[in-house]
Amino acid sequence: MFADRVLSGMRPTGNLHLGHYHGVLKNWVEMQHQYECLFFVADWHALTTHYDTPQVIEQNVWDMVIDWLAAGVDPSQATLFIQSRVPEHAELHLLLSMITPLGWLERMPTYKDQQEKLSGKDLSTYGFLGYPLLQSADILIYRATQVPVGEDQVPHVEFTREIARRFNHIYGKEVGFEEKAEAAIKKLGGKKAKLYTELRTRFQEQGDVEALESAKSLLDEQQSLSLGDRERLFGYLEGGGKMILSEPQAMLTAASRMPGLDGQKMSKSYGNTISLREDEAEVGKKIKTMPTDPARIRRTDPGDPAKCPVWQLHLVYSNDATREWVQQGCKSAGIGCIECKQPVIAGVLEEQKPMRERAQQYLDDPSLVRNIIADGCEKARKLATETMRDVRDAMGLGYS
Ligand code: TRP
Ligand code: SF4
């Protein structure tokens, strides 16, 4: 019912590394030019698992925003904010909790998985059970249409769609809905009214999804419809009643698997990371001490790049000519491992250079970051307030 709006959040639970850059941030930077984008620090989500180490959160919030900016997220293109500074998220979470079946939360695959994974921590809390619902509130409060997430988060977006549907089903009914919807069709004008009705019939009688999409874009183009009529006509397409909350789509980011220093996926829990703005000397040290093909004990032993984690990084950072040089040199023992690692070190440093430069101004003047976030929170709050007005009205809280 609204133009594309992208929303995504990240938990401030640790230093961002190059895995985050290749897996998430590069994608955000690209999307900010194509869509309206909202990116936020999910500090309440971090508390669901880190409730006993608040200092971790405090430390990481601002560092994480600096990492985003360093990676090229541009506050003049995207809105950046902090979840807890838009308290409407909590209000929507509470209101949605009224209609959320406990079983839906208990059956979330992430619930048991995470409890097992973080077995050192007691996660049989109310807050942790509600994690996916808080995420739904994050998404629905902005009527986001696209949610870029990793594979593990897809069930949460699916769950959000079900919550939106349930909400619309319960609260979208209004007295005389059909009559009002028919009256709204008339307001589209002869030709468009006829087209809308045809497309709706095709969808409802034949399940024609393309017809549904066409009808939706037809509505998207109608500038003069009131918000109420717009919601009715969207709702009327699929049956039901008014569509108060809109269903988001998960946007699966092409899983670029960034290899870590040991050849496994780069991840904090494997201790194989290079941070986004890692000290230059440290980058060199980490790569120089990377394990290589274990068969190359002596410099004169030939090796096989397929068995070497350094090769994985050449696949990310090196061009064809360099890769060819590695293949030849490694298999013939023509080059040593230290030599082989040099172009990788250079590649990482070059990638990080603009990030370090961008970060520097924010490190020099932290008030810049505070201001960016203050602006973002204000924008986000405006949008959130609009949705909350509709939600409160729908739930019988609109009295004055
Ligand atoms: N749960 C997400 C993660 O762990 C973070 C998150 C919180 C989020 N709220 C969100 C992501 C809303 C997308 C949309 O990665
Ligand atoms: Fe790995 Fe390169 Fe050494 Fe071969 S030469 S084992 S690819 S580091």
Side-chain angles (χ1 to χ4, degrees):
M1 113 169 47
F2 303 88
D4 274 334
R5 182 180 283 161
V6 170
L7 171 107
S8 201
M10 217 187 263
R11 297 157 17 104
T13 51
N15 231 316
L16 296 195
H17 50 66
L18 292 177
H20 294 108
Y21 177 65
H22 286 271
V24 184
L25 292 174
K26 252 167 55 179
N27 187 45
W28 285 13
V29 170
E30 247 171 66
M31 281 186 307
Q32 68 187 351
H33 304 295
Q34 297 157 7
Y35 303 101
E36 177 188 358
C37 287
L38 297 151
F39 300 125
F40 72 98
V41 180
D43 55 348
W44 281 334
H45 275 106
L47 269 181
T48 64
T49 51
H50 289 64
Y51 54 83
D52 55 353
T53 49
Q55 62 285 1
V56 170
I57 294 167
E58 190 150 28
Q59 247 169 40
N60 284 300
V61 168
W62 298 114
D63 277 351
M64 191 165 87
V65 178
I66 294 179
D67 281 340
W68 293 358
L69 296 165
V73 176
D74 177 354
S76 69
Q77 304 269 357
T79 301
L80 311 183
F81 66 98
I82 298 175
Q83 184 183 37
S84 66
R85 299 249 174 121
V86 186
E88 284 81 2
H89 288 230
E91 185 186 357
L92 184 56
H93 179 212
L94 174 83
L95 292 178
L96 292 176
S97 79
M98 307 300 170
I99 63 158
T100 303
L102 214 39
W104 289 14
L105 289 169
E106 288 164 343
R107 279 195 301 271
M108 291 303 297
T110 43
Y111 183 55
K112 287 262 145 54
D113 285 0
Q114 287 295 104
Q115 277 187 334
E116 275 162 27
K117 224 166 144 190
L118 304 173
S119 58
K121 231 172 237 172
D122 183 4
L123 289 181
S124 43
T125 58
Y126 180 52
F128 187 66
L129 179 67
Y131 184 111
L133 189 64
L134 179 58
Q135 187 163 350
S136 300
D138 298 337
I139 297 168
L140 296 173
I141 206 161
Y142 300 106
R143 295 174 156 134
T145 56
Q146 321 287 135
V147 184
V149 284
E151 194 129 24
D152 61 314
Q153 294 289 308
V154 172
H156 290 174
V157 180
E158 271 307 310
F159 169 82
T160 301
R161 294 165 62 85
E162 274 162 34
I163 294 290
R165 238 175 277 151
R166 185 169 164 78
F167 186 94
N168 292 333
H169 179 73
I170 297 176
Y171 300 109
K173 301 218 165 65
E174 59 180 341
V175 189
F177 174 72
E178 302 229 331
E179 290 74 10
K180 285 182 183 160
E182 289 293 338
I185 294 178
K186 290 220 174 73
K187 288 183 209 164
L188 291 174
K191 239 185 178 165
K192 284 177 192 149
K194 187 154 166 260
L195 181 58
Y196 174 90
T197 309
E198 270 170 26
L199 291 169
R200 175 173 178 267
T201 310
R202 256 166 60 198
F203 173 65
Q204 295 204 337
E205 292 179 0
Q206 297 150 38
D208 183 341
V209 186
E210 266 176 39
L212 176 66
E213 288 311 313
S214 310
K216 285 182 177 173
S217 29
L218 173 73
L219 292 177
D220 275 333
E221 288 156 15
Q222 307 313 308
Q223 304 294 343
S224 60
L225 275 180
S226 72
L227 193 61
D229 277 345
R230 177 175 292 266
E231 287 175 343
R232 279 181 200 105
L233 289 181
F234 271 99
Y236 199 43
L237 279 175
E238 294 175 80
K242 279 211 286 189
M243 222 166 86
I244 301 164
L245 297 177
S246 40
E247 290 179 39
Q249 299 280 350
M251 207 181 202
L252 257 186
T253 42
S256 72
R257 177 185 167 281
M258 175 68 187
L261 293 164
D262 57 358
Q264 299 186 82
K265 180 180 163 174
M266 188 178 281
S267 160
K268 187 172 71 170
S269 48
Y270 298 145
N272 62 1
T273 61
I274 299 175
S275 346
L276 206 79
R277 294 178 275 127
E278 182 104 39
D279 181 73
E280 288 186 46
E282 197 60 27
V283 171
K285 208 159 104 196
K286 281 187 171 178
I287 295 175
K288 280 184 200 146
T289 52
M290 274 179 76
T292 58
D293 176 359
R296 285 204 83 178
I297 299 162
R298 280 174 299 260
R299 166 70 178 76
T300 48
D301 296 330
D304 179 0
K307 295 178 184 145
C308 176
V310 178
W311 171 247
Q312 300 290 318
L313 290 179
H314 275 294
L315 290 176
V316 177
Y317 290 102
S318 297
N319 60 21
D320 286 347
T322 307
R323 288 183 198 168
E324 188 52 35
W325 170 78
V326 173
Q327 287 288 341
Q328 295 277 344
C330 180
K331 289 177 181 165
S332 64
I335 59 170
C337 292
I338 297 286
E339 221 179 326
C340 177
K341 288 171 172 179
Q342 288 308 323
V344 172
I345 298 175
V348 171
L349 291 179
E350 189 177 300
E351 177 171 76
Q352 289 177 321
K353 190 164 174 258
M355 302 203 230
R356 277 201 201 86
E357 284 168 6
R358 274 191 293 257
Q360 196 55 49
Q361 53 175 323
Y362 300 112
L363 294 168
D364 292 343
D365 183 0
S367 75
L368 292 175
V369 187
R370 304 298 190 273
N371 288 337
I372 288 168
I373 290 296
D375 277 359
C377 290
E378 196 182 319
K379 281 192 206 141
R381 229 178 150 180
K382 263 205 192 108
L383 299 172
T385 305
E386 282 174 28
T387 309
M388 285 317 294
R389 198 177 304 127
D390 294 348
V391 168
R392 285 189 211 109
D393 283 351
M395 293 185 80
L397 300 169
Y399 38 78
S400 49

